Amino acid sequence: MDLFTDSTTNLLPGDGVVHYHGPILKQADERRFFDGLMEEVPWAGDELVMFGKRIVTNRKVAWFGDGGFLYRYSGTEKTAIPWTPLLRELKQRAEDRTAEVFNSCLLNLYHDGGEGMGWHSDDEPTLEEDSSIASLSLGVERKFSFKHRETKETVSLQLERGSLLVMKGETQRHWLHSLPKTKKVDQPRINLTFRRFQVSSV
């Protein structure tokens, strides 16, 4: 495992910056974090409002942060849970690697390849505009894709176990991203997206 992947290359051709750091966790640490989060996080189905109807996803989520932030999206609200020691350790690892400071984290649990996320952008008004988002992957490797809003150009990569992907600048304004569903994956994955929440929105 290469723990020193060159992260200076921008994966996008323009209108944003995405750096892939590759695996930043040793195999034993990745498994420790994965097992710990599976056990301690109060996972719950994600509630969304689509076409006027409220649905609950099989994919599980949890929202953590420095304060009692209200995270609003798709017609629902979530209140941030205080950091656990395990999550603080992971946040510190992400901050050390990116030289960024994060105050919140959205966790997603995908039980297998039958669960994913369609095209979307992380551009909620409660997040600091153009702030960096650090996406840490634990568990099984999955494909991750970007699509330009106007040109429809796509960029895809495989997110390895323990890897870190960082989206910067105006990426959310011009690019959508997705975690495609696949029948080839039968193991779980946890994704942590560390973010900068607007303090004024508390």
Side-chain angles (χ1 to χ4, degrees):
M1 182 192 308
D2 180 10
L3 297 181
F4 303 98
T5 300
D6 181 8
S7 61
T8 61
T9 301
N10 184 9
L11 299 184
L12 302 180
D15 293 336
V17 176
V18 172
H19 290 156
Y20 183 57
H21 293 253
I24 66 168
L25 302 174
K26 294 181 180 179
Q27 186 175 8
D29 284 340
E30 187 272 338
R31 176 50 58 181
R32 173 173 65 89
F33 286 123
F34 180 88
D35 291 343
L37 293 178
M38 286 290 286
E39 178 68 24
E40 75 174 21
V41 171
W43 299 105
D46 198 11
E47 295 187 22
L48 308 171
V49 176
M50 299 181 63
F51 307 109
K53 295 183 178 180
R54 185 175 296 272
I55 65 171
V56 179
T57 66
N58 291 327
R59 168 178 53 88
K60 305 298 184 184
V61 299
W63 173 243
F64 288 80
D66 288 353
F69 302 131
L70 280 177
Y71 181 52
R72 300 181 180 90
Y73 70 105
S74 298
T76 64
E77 290 186 350
K78 290 181 174 59
T79 302
I81 304 168
W83 299 105
T84 67
L86 200 64
L87 280 168
R88 283 190 181 278
E89 185 177 351
L90 282 170
K91 183 170 83 80
Q92 188 63 57
R93 299 244 188 154
E95 291 175 339
D96 290 345
R97 179 54 70 104
T98 62
E100 302 273 359
V101 176
F102 303 105
N103 63 11
S104 56
C105 181
L106 180 66
L107 291 85
N108 284 276
L109 168 60
Y110 303 90
H111 297 90
D112 53 41
E115 298 172 5
M117 283 285 283
W119 294 112
H120 69 285
S121 60
D122 297 328
D123 58 355
E124 295 83 4
T126 46
L127 299 177
E128 289 188 3
E129 186 176 6
D130 292 345
S131 59
S132 295
I133 296 177
S135 176
L136 181 63
S137 297
L138 304 176
V140 70
E141 180 175 308
R142 290 284 296 267
K143 179 181 178 180
F144 191 74
S145 300
F146 292 91
K147 181 172 70 173
H148 195 279
R149 291 178 183 270
E150 296 183 2
T151 68
K152 309 305 179 185
E153 180 178 2
T154 60
V155 176
S156 298
L157 72 157
Q158 294 292 127
L159 297 180
E160 304 162 271
R161 292 176 178 268
S163 66
L164 184 68
L165 179 83
V166 183
M167 299 176 280
K168 297 183 175 185
E170 58 184 7
T171 300
Q172 306 302 327
R173 292 196 236 170
H174 299 288
W175 292 83
L176 304 172
H177 53 270
S178 74
L179 184 78
K181 294 181 180 181
T182 174
K183 295 181 179 179
K184 298 179 180 180
V185 174
D186 60 1
Q187 298 177 54
R189 170 182 183 259
I190 294 175
N191 175 237
L192 303 90
T193 48
F194 294 97
R195 305 156 181 243
R196 281 294 306 170
F197 213 86
Q198 294 188 56
V199 176
S200 60
S201 63
V202 177

